[in-house]
Amino acid sequence: MSGKIVPTFTLAFTLNGGPVRVETSPGRRVLDLLREDLGLTAAKEGCGSGECGACAILVDGAAKLSCLMLAVQLEGREVVTAEGLGTAENPHPIQAAFVENGAVQCGYCTPGMTIATAEFLAHTPDPDRGQVREAISGNLCRCTGYVKIVDAVLAAAKAAPGESS
Amino acid sequence: MKPSSPNQPDFSFRHADTLSKAVGAERYSTDFTPPGCLWAGAKRAGVPHARITAVHVGEALAVDGVKTVLTGADVPGSNLQGIVHKDQPVLAVDTVRHAGDAVALVLAESREALAEALSRIRLEYEPLPGVFEPELALAAEAPLVHPGREGGNLLARGLVDKGDARAAMRGCDVVVEGEFETPMQEHVFLEPPNGTARLTATNGLETVVSTQAPFRDRFEIAHALGLDPMRIRVRAPYLGGGFGGKDGATVQCLLALAALHAGGRWVKMVWSREETFLAGYKRHAARVRIRLGASSSGALQALDSVMYFDSGPYAHLGVEIMALGLEHAGGPYMIPHTRAEGFCVYTNNPVGGAFRGFGVVQASFALERSLDALAARLGMDPAELRLMNALRTGEANCAGVAMESPTGVRECLEAVMAHPVWAGRHTWKEAAPPFKRRGVGIAASCNAMGYGRGLPDAAAAKLELTRTGTFRIFNSVADMGQGNAAAFVQLAASALNQDSSLFEVVQPDTRLCPPAGSSSASRTTYTFGNALLRACEAMREKLKARAALALLVDEPSRLRLAPGVVADEATGRSIPLALLGNMLQRDDRICVDQYVMPVVENPPDTGKAFRLGFPHRFFSHGACVCALEADELTGQVELVECVTAVECGRVLSARGVEQQVHGAAAQGAGLVLMENLAHQDGRILAGDLSTYLIPTSRDLPDLEWLAVDGDEPTGPHGVKGMGEVGIHGPAPAVAQALEDAVGLSINRIPVDPMDVLRALRSNKA
Ligand code: FES
Ligand code: FES
């Protein structure tokens, strides 16, 4: 359909715990693949150039910016989006902490923030405020001034010691 | 009603809507990508001022997957957008007036094809000399942005004149004088402008847009494209931020134009971040000259100021923004004689528009800096000077409007002065580590609520009892993150004595919801909230009357609403809402009512040349203390504390106010510390998020909020607006703190570390 004939391939990876096989082009942005082809819209586009963190996902447990990744890079990987952390009925402790601490205003940054938090708490289970501020500094939020987000991350660390990813 | 503590769990609806966002289930406008949709995008001018001699679209049309390429000649209707003044083309014809003007519109089958086609459009221009500085633009020989226009580059002049400022100035013991500049500021809402649109089978136009003003959008689209506004449906899901930047057309008209050529298919348009910098609206850059006079005791006597607002090539809300700036020239202070003159000027810079603090940010920085100069001249404490001149209830502000609504500026000042950051500042400063200088500053502010006189600040609210006995609120005012949808549930639940879990909210949809004004001007909760409370009142009376029929009670007034039921305490009998819901037909289950914000009744004759929005009756108040540390080696300034007190009527939801104050203070801190939308000859030099820096979590301290409880008798449960007032504090408070720390007196922002270093060096010399 698009401008040029683009080769497609069958991409196989694990998405939020389940196997996925999808026909796509190797150069498809992972963010578009997730949002438009697979209907998972938690990861957001805020800049498309690696500056805002709204598009963050976990790839093999590490937070990655999906706006900078190409589909081919997901082959065989384990991917978790904010949808895979938890649901409204059964939220992840990090998601619950964001809600309970008032860290969500417009909420556009929140899925990316929770992904960054998940990675961070997995290796820093008992952080102080300064470490939290450092850890989320790649994720922009224009609504909150960050205070409540820092509170939320610390609360999440308390709520689920050692099992945050 | 007791305010909830910020540390208590949130009430359940806010819980539900933020949870849905946190888990990624909430669908923002940008999350609608209908399968098989077309993609639309604009070719931007790239030059600030030129005559278009040719637009070559052949190569773009040849790209596989491109459906069509449209230019200015293809726009039906007036081809003019604008909220009050219609002067901004949807697609430029003949002339481009700023680098972000849209010159052509491409429709393509995929994003890839769209990008390819946009890169293949060739524009031929004959460059025109531009104007990039408002005062120069007013010179007789300046190139004209809109040739042939009466008034030339002067979009509007305004004057607020009370007493005789110039004569009074001559009688003052002390007069200070200064010139101050505030820059353009980018909103950086995280969700870029975007939307989807299609023509329906019955030739209506349906759109889903990230917008602050869905009801007004219909008229703007209709006017620009020659359509019937009543055949346009606009839906506004939760926004990923707005802050004023989504008040007025961004994608709306382009998208609608694209839909007219899409044969009934959905079309999607999403601006990239770079396009948003290039084409989006900015806080107006402004220059303010002030003379401020006082008696030797420090009592303010006279203010004489002139303000220049850089509108860019289009009016947007520039005139109204300038007017609000003039109305706030005297801030929250009692000044007997005031004169504020404003010029809103066309240039070839990016387009100015609404941004939290709407003209007040610019006026407030200049006035607060002048108060600092006055305090220094008088040898007075800057806090005491502000306190002694703080406007009291009943006194007239600089527009001559007597403050009948309680003014809390004094209480706000006292609250921040009692805070350890101010009270303990001397000790803290003395404890500065090596190579650091510390300083503390204070500022006060006020911010009007609502549209002001001359433009009805209205909302209609619709409330439905569902068949199953739950309630549905039809929210007519977009929620851009401030949580108004949840506040409405809280208001209605308490008015109807029901649990908030019984409520659902329909987000703004011009087909389903009755009309309301925009999500802006700190008006949302006040105006729609009042309309909703009236609808609740009607619902309560209706439910009692219908329950009386079922319970065979001849005095409905003795019935009461209790959770889930209408109860008759006299007999102990009750009827469940579910039963009532089932019993009534749909029309009978709906209540609609409206509210219009009251205006100043006998407006003083102080405002000259205003058509709309003057004067205002209601104001929220604030005070702010900032503490900073300047690095002697690098000149870098670190904000260490930022404490803001606001008075915004009664505090219904402490968390809601705290969230707004934090967000506003963070944007104010960004404005003074780092946000620099550098531009030269109409071109933005910092046009993405790697060059235009906004505060990250490492750049801000733990912002603090102090509650000052007030009461606005006309407000829903005593509430006034509070979305904006918190933005004004940091810029002047940081400036004063910098003077305190290193003796640098700044008159423009953001702070330049080189200036800090220079000041330190000259101190030592
Ligand atoms: S969208 Fe990926 S970092 Fe901003
Ligand atoms: S909550 Fe809006 S950007 Fe973070």
Side-chain angles (χ1 to χ4, degrees):
Chain A
M1 281 209 312
S2 77
K4 294 177 196 116
I5 310 278
V6 275
T8 63
F9 80 121
T10 306
L11 168 67
F13 66 109
T14 306
L15 179 57
N16 296 333
V20 168
R21 289 174 73 81
V22 56
E23 200 69 20
T24 185
S25 75
R28 182 104 171 122
R29 285 198 316 173
V30 167
L31 182 58
D32 301 334
L33 178 83
L34 292 171
R35 289 174 50 81
E36 287 160 23
D37 305 348
L38 300 170
L40 294 181
T41 55
K44 308 288 186 213
E45 178 159 0
C47 69
S49 57
E51 302 292 340
C52 75
C55 64
I57 57 172
L58 291 175
V59 180
D60 293 342
K64 297 283 180 198
L65 300 174
S66 65
C67 72
L68 299 181
M69 289 186 81
L70 302 179
V72 65
Q73 295 174 275
L74 291 189
E75 183 62 39
R77 304 297 187 119
E78 206 163 301
V79 173
V80 176
T81 66
E83 288 101 334
L85 288 182
T87 60
E89 295 70 39
N90 187 20
H92 188 280
I94 294 172
Q95 294 168 326
F98 268 67
V99 171
E100 275 151 27
N101 286 275
V104 183
Q105 289 192 32
C106 85
Y108 204 76
C109 69
T110 314
M113 284 280 185
T114 57
I115 290 287
T117 303
E119 183 203 38
F120 170 61
L121 292 183
H123 58 74
T124 316
D126 186 22
D128 61 28
R129 282 190 94 79
Q131 286 173 307
V132 173
R133 285 193 173 272
E134 189 67 37
I136 58 164
S137 65
N139 292 70
L140 295 178
C141 174
R142 191 58 153 168
C143 298
T144 65
Y146 303 104
V147 184
K148 301 285 176 195
I149 294 178
V150 178
D151 292 347
V153 175
L154 291 171
K158 282 223 178 70
E163 44 120 337
S164 302
S165 67
Chain B
M1 179 165 307
K2 239 172 63 229
S4 57
S5 143
N7 300 318
Q8 273 166 16
D10 220 336
F11 60 92
S12 63
F13 186 83
R14 184 62 170 157
H15 193 274
D17 82 345
T18 56
L19 181 60
S20 155
K21 292 171 176 181
V23 301
E26 190 60 50
R27 293 283 173 142
Y28 299 78
S29 162
T30 191
D31 296 333
F32 290 95
T33 309
C37 69
L38 290 165
W39 291 81
K43 177 74 179 177
R44 302 286 169 182
V47 298
H49 200 196
R51 244 174 44 76
I52 305 171
T53 49
V55 182
H56 300 287
V57 301
E59 274 189 48
L61 276 170
V63 172
D64 195 13
V66 166
K67 198 158 159 66
T68 185
V69 181
L70 306 168
T71 63
D74 301 308
V75 184
S78 70
N79 190 20
L80 288 176
Q81 322 171 80
I83 295 172
V84 182
H85 315 256
K86 310 256 180 217
D87 60 1
Q88 179 174 11
V90 181
L91 289 176
V93 186
D94 302 334
T95 312
V96 300
R97 298 187 187 85
H98 82 120
D101 264 340
V103 180
L105 180 67
V106 176
L107 259 93
E109 295 285 352
S110 69
R111 254 204 289 232
E112 293 76 15
L114 173 64
E116 180 72 23
L118 285 171
S119 73
R120 290 181 183 227
I121 296 176
R122 274 194 311 114
L123 305 175
E124 270 180 43
Y125 295 123
E126 209 173 85
L128 294 169
V131 282
F132 307 108
E133 211 288 317
E135 283 187 78
L136 295 180
L138 293 178
E141 67 284 3
L144 293 173
V145 178
H146 298 275
R149 176 184 178 273
E150 199 187 327
N153 290 331
L154 178 62
L155 167 58
R157 172 185 173 269
L159 178 66
V160 175
D161 201 5
K162 179 183 80 164
D164 189 345
R166 288 176 177 173
M169 197 73 72
R170 289 192 285 274
C172 288
D173 300 328
V174 200
V175 174
V176 292
E177 203 166 338
E179 179 175 304
F180 304 92
E181 284 175 25
T182 50
M184 287 196 287
Q185 188 180 19
E186 181 80 10
H187 302 82
V188 198
F189 29 65
L190 271 218
E191 180 196 24
N194 75 90
T196 43
R198 71 166 171 185
L199 281 181
T200 63
T202 53
N203 239 1
L205 182 77
E206 188 179 353
T207 67
V208 180
V209 187
S210 186
T211 177
Q212 291 174 232
F215 290 92
R216 191 206 308 118
D217 285 346
R218 290 174 307 168
F219 293 93
E220 205 161 337
I221 296 168
H223 182 273
L225 303 183
L227 305 174
D228 174 356
M230 294 309 137
R231 301 190 60 77
I232 300 173
R233 175 184 187 186
V234 181
R235 284 188 280 154
Y238 283 102
L239 281 75
F243 316 117
K246 293 173 181 170
D247 191 4
T250 54
V251 298
Q252 289 87 329
C253 299
L254 289 165
L255 194 54
L257 176 62
L260 296 181
H261 292 265
R265 289 171 66 183
W266 280 106
V267 188
K268 177 158 177 146
M269 178 183 237
V270 184
W271 289 5
S272 70
R273 184 55 61 182
E274 289 72 18
E275 187 174 18
T276 308
F277 271 91
L278 188 62
Y281 307 110
K282 319 294 172 208
R283 182 189 303 289
H284 292 75
R287 175 178 301 141
V288 181
R289 289 199 195 95
I290 278 198
R291 298 180 73 220
L292 182 64
S295 68
S296 56
S297 69
L300 297 176
Q301 301 295 330
L303 167 78
D304 188 1
S305 65
V306 186
M307 307 186 189
Y308 294 90
F309 283 82
D310 183 347
S311 188
Y314 306 117
H316 195 273
L317 286 168
V319 181
E320 294 67 33
I321 288 165
M322 170 192 71
L324 203 68
L326 297 177
E327 197 178 342
H328 288 73
Y333 304 107
M334 162 61 192
I335 315 175
H337 300 274
T338 51
R339 184 177 198 280
E341 185 175 21
F343 299 91
C344 194
V345 186
Y346 283 129
T347 68
N348 299 109
N349 284 326
V351 187
F355 195 146
R356 190 183 225 164
F358 207 86
V360 184
V361 163
Q362 294 90 329
S364 164
F365 179 69
L367 178 67
E368 292 294 312
R369 290 303 289 141
S370 303
L371 284 165
D372 292 347
L374 194 61
R377 277 279 293 282
L378 291 164
M380 277 184 79
D381 178 274
E384 292 300 333
L385 178 67
R386 285 166 170 83
L387 203 55
M388 80 174 275
N389 288 289
L391 201 57
R392 296 160 198 268
T393 308
E395 289 178 341
N397 68 2
C398 76
V401 174
M403 298 290 95
E404 52 182 303
S405 149
T407 75
V409 63
R410 174 175 301 273
E411 290 76 3
C412 290
L413 275 166
E414 283 166 350
V416 296
M417 287 165 73
H419 190 281
V421 174
W422 183 256
R425 64 193 183 284
H426 300 298
T427 328
W428 181 73
K429 277 161 57 180
E430 277 157 23
F435 305 112
K436 300 277 187 194
R437 299 285 189 91
R438 288 176 167 178
V440 182
I442 190 167
S445 61
C446 61
N447 202 107
M449 172 176 71
Y451 295 158
R453 210 182 149 90
L455 190 65
D457 190 310
K462 175 167 142 188
L463 175 68
E464 179 182 355
L465 171 73
T466 68
R467 287 179 66 89
T468 56
T470 61
F471 293 95
R472 192 174 284 143
I473 297 171
F474 291 79
N475 174 20
S476 296
V477 198
D479 188 329
M480 47 183 169
Q482 72 270 52
N484 52 294
F488 298 153
V489 169
Q490 189 188 12
L491 284 174
S494 110
L496 295 171
N497 195 22
Q498 301 299 318
D499 191 89
S500 63
S501 64
L502 281 188
F503 289 77
E504 65 180 281
V505 178
V506 174
Q507 293 303 329
D509 180 334
T510 58
R511 181 189 285 173
L512 303 176
C513 306
S518 50
S519 183
S520 62
S522 303
R523 62 179 291 278
T524 302
T525 301
Y526 178 95
T527 308
F528 187 88
N530 268 324
L532 180 61
L533 285 184
R534 291 183 175 198
C536 288
E537 174 69 34
M539 179 64 80
R540 192 167 54 226
E541 291 315 305
K542 179 195 292 265
L543 293 179
K544 282 166 32 178
R546 300 297 180 274
L549 296 179
L551 293 170
L552 301 175
V553 170
D554 54 9
E555 304 161 280
S557 60
R558 79 165 199 237
L559 301 183
R560 294 278 172 270
L561 261 73
V565 297
V566 180
D568 182 3
E569 281 158 16
T571 62
R573 295 194 314 148
S574 66
I575 176 164
L577 293 177
L579 203 65
L580 276 176
N582 207 16
M583 187 177 106
L584 307 183
Q585 355 136 254
R586 174 131 205 259
D587 286 351
D588 202 22
R589 286 188 275 111
I590 291 175
C591 291
V592 179
D593 210 331
Q594 58 275 324
Y595 186 78
V596 182
M597 189 184 292
V599 292
V600 176
E601 264 159 27
N602 298 302
D605 178 31
T606 52
K608 322 284 179 200
F610 291 116
R611 288 194 306 157
L612 295 174
F614 178 88
H616 287 75
R617 176 166 165 178
F618 304 106
F619 294 80
S620 296
H621 301 88
C624 175
V625 166
C626 288
L628 58 77
E629 221 166 62
D631 189 307
E632 291 185 356
L633 304 176
T634 63
Q636 293 295 333
V637 173
E638 189 195 343
L639 185 60
V640 181
E641 304 274 1
C642 174
V643 183
T644 306
V646 300
E647 178 274 315
C648 51
R650 290 187 65 186
V651 177
L652 198 57
S653 156
R655 169 166 287 170
V657 179
E658 185 179 37
Q659 286 177 323
Q660 284 298 298
V661 170
H662 281 174
Q667 287 175 347
L671 179 70
V672 64
L673 292 174
M674 57 175 62
E675 295 183 32
N676 189 0
L677 196 56
H679 58 104
Q680 191 175 22
D681 295 344
R683 288 191 177 85
I684 295 172
L685 305 175
D688 60 33
L689 291 176
S690 66
T691 45
Y692 183 87
L693 303 181
I694 65 166
T696 70
S697 53
R698 280 193 305 194
D699 301 312
L700 294 172
D702 279 328
L703 307 163
E704 265 187 76
W705 163 65
L706 306 176
V708 171
D709 215 7
D711 185 20
E712 171 45 55
T714 66
H717 295 316
V719 164
K720 278 191 291 199
M722 46 72 177
E724 297 178 276
V725 69
I727 199 170
H728 305 303
V734 162
Q736 188 191 102
L738 202 57
E739 197 158 0
D740 188 38
V742 303
L744 170 67
S745 171
I746 56 169
N747 56 6
R748 67 170 67 181
I749 49 176
V751 173
D752 182 349
M754 290 308 292
D755 288 339
V756 176
L757 282 182
R758 271 191 286 273
L760 282 164
R761 247 174 252 140
S762 68
N763 285 353
K764 287 206 175 109

